Amino acid sequence: MSTITELIHSIPVDELTGAIAVPIYQTSTFVQEAPGVNKGFDYARTNNPTRQTLETIVAQLEGGHTAAAFSSGLAAIDAVLKLLQAGDEIVAVDDIYGGAFRLFDKVYAKFGVKVHYVDTSNLRAVANAITPATRLIWLETPTNPTLKISDISAIADIAKAHNCWLCVDNTFASPVLQQPLLQGADIVVHSATKYLGGHSDLIAGLVITRTPQLGAEIKFYQNACGAVLSPFDSFLLIRGIETLHLRVKQHSANALAVATYLEQHPAVGKVFYPGLASHPGHALAKRQQKGFGGIVSFTLRDDTEEAAQAFVTSTRYFKLAESLGGIKSLLCHPAAMTHKSIPDEKRRAAGVADSLIRLSVGLEEADDLVADLEQAFKRAGKKLTSSVPTY
Ligand SMILES: *Cc1c(COP(=O)(O)O)cnc(C)c1O
């Protein structure tokens, strides 16, 4: 689906009542006329009309055949991993989302699934990591928090040549900027908690498949394992998706304004934003994506955790919190928050410097956000230089 018109009109009017908003079917079971004779629904873990509407909308949005909605992004990732068996191997992007790493490393390793982490922006590294046991290639593009870009269609070709699946975690780009299934990926997953929901008011996950066969397998695990999205959260997610195109467009415009401002600031070290010509993935992102998204990371010239702490406690509009993709701007300090469990040396080697700050640029006026950062640099500078409190 390419246009906002198509998206809006993929949200059905309720046939029973004419309700223009999607009804919330808050029910656990459905009355049957005779055993096995029903209106397409029997038990709400297996299927629920509100969730089904969401899944239909999302499958279209990603250009896929089947979508399945889960109670979190990690539950969605978990469902994809259940396609594997003991002895199977995964080739995964090295700066993978921490929760996915934990799931691979602490849960699936126990069941005999092995993961090779490589820099997937290097196609040769991807090809070299594949063994006869590889069943799945796992990408995030752009990655968190350095926004590394990997070539989806080239890696889809590698996957095909080796008879394995390509799964893309499309959380950061959203289907507005990038539709991996149309570029040859087999599976897309989302933490719908982020841009798809868009309002920081729910936890949800999605799996979308290109083929009906894979879709049927994912649906089997959705029902068999049971981490389904509730009818109310399905409704909230549909409501968020209604404005996805507008939001992502504005997030991207604001993020470019913020990144451009940061790049010329004397207190800033490096700026990571695929929309900047200085970003190593810029040319590929320009080709592969319809826009550059709402996440910007940067380091400070004073590359210390103290300097970053002073900065992240000096903003007014940017609120200090984990997560991203909501209407309000957020910032976080990965070394002390999302990446705290990674040993310092490993974290630095992955490009996550001590002072790196990640911004989720919200939907406020871009000028106000730039002004907030400007005053935060001044306040943080004072905090760092004054050991005596100023009364
Ligand atoms: C947040 C996130 C997840 C996990 O999603 P939850 O909804 O928090 O379970 C997975 N991948 C990426 C890229 C994320 O940002």
Side-chain angles (χ1 to χ4, degrees), residues 27 78 152 202 254 256:
T27 185
D78 181 63
I152 296 170
L202 84 157
N254 285 359
L256 182 62

Side-chain angles (χ1 to χ4, degrees), residues 72-74 77 97 140 169 171-172 191 193-194 203-204 324:
S72 71
L74 276 173
I77 294 171
Y97 174 72
E140 281 172 37
D169 182 334
T171 300
F172 269 44
S191 170
T193 309
K194 318 291 168 54
I203 300 282
L324 56 106

Side-chain angles (χ1 to χ4, degrees), residues 87-150:
D88 287 348
E89 295 185 5
I90 304 173
V91 173
V93 57
D94 55 3
D95 48 358
I96 191 166
Y97 174 72
F101 176 77
R102 183 176 55 203
L103 183 66
F104 292 5
D105 195 53
K106 296 276 191 278
V107 181
Y108 281 90
K110 236 171 44 176
F111 298 117
V113 173
K114 193 171 160 190
V115 188
H116 302 276
Y117 296 94
V118 301
D119 176 357
T120 52
S121 66
N122 176 349
L123 295 176
R124 187 163 316 150
V126 176
N128 286 346
I130 291 178
T131 75
T134 307
R135 293 296 310 282
L136 178 64
I137 301 178
W138 192 276
L139 283 190
E140 281 172 37
T141 178
T143 60
N144 175 29
T146 60
L147 304 157
K148 207 159 73 181
I149 309 291
S150 296

